[in-house]
Amino acid sequence: MPYYFAYGSNMNPARVAARIGDTRRVLAGVLHDHALRFDKVSKVAGIAHANVAPETGARVEGALFELEHPEQIRLMDPFEGYPREYDRHRLPVATSEGVIEAWVYIAAPGSTAMALKPAREYLMHLLAGEAFLSPDYHRRLAAVEAVAGLDDHALGQLGLSRHTPR
């Protein structure tokens, strides 16, 4: 079965289930030689989505979903903005069961910028993946400076809602 590695808001299993349905299981995973960045431009000025970028020696922790059906990755594509916003790559993800090749979304060329911050509601989805993260990594995520107080319209533009996990 195919796997999908989530390092951003899709670390929240409820969000993934609302978007693509049930998955077989979820494992803690690590993408080595990559670093987490909040540099993916969103539809709201100054607000970022998560991204990963190659960086020797760095690591990105996240949730590795074993999909029930191969087409579930295509169901995720619109939520990830594939193929315009993010590209989809097959990369090795380390788990307690060994290395597993998984789909990973990485910001498309020209879609990143400096000095962006995630929305508080977006960051909360990352923190919901606590079960898949080391305590230190979760603490570092919790310390990320985020933008609070966005209205419902702005949250909608970001694909977020105060009322549903989707």
Side-chain angles (χ1 to χ4, degrees), residues 52-90:
V52 294
E55 184 178 310
T56 303
R59 56 186 271 137
V60 176
E61 296 183 23
L64 183 65
F65 291 86
E66 182 178 7
L67 304 178
E68 282 197 5
H69 308 285
E71 65 272 8
Q72 282 179 294
I73 197 64
R74 286 188 288 286
L75 295 175
M76 186 60 76
D77 286 346
F79 295 103
E80 295 287 1
Y82 173 80
R84 289 188 172 91
E85 304 274 329
Y86 284 87
D87 292 328
R88 200 171 1 112
H89 301 266
R90 300 280 294 173

Side-chain angles (χ1 to χ4, degrees), residues 103-141:
W103 289 111
V104 180
Y105 291 92
I106 299 176
S111 67
T112 61
M114 302 292 285
L116 302 176
K117 297 177 186 170
R120 170 60 50 197
E121 291 80 358
Y122 181 84
L123 190 60
M124 295 308 292
H125 284 296
L126 276 73
L127 296 172
E130 182 173 12
F132 312 108
L133 307 173
S134 67
D136 181 59
Y137 195 88
H138 188 265
R139 269 192 302 278
R140 286 190 290 137
L141 283 179

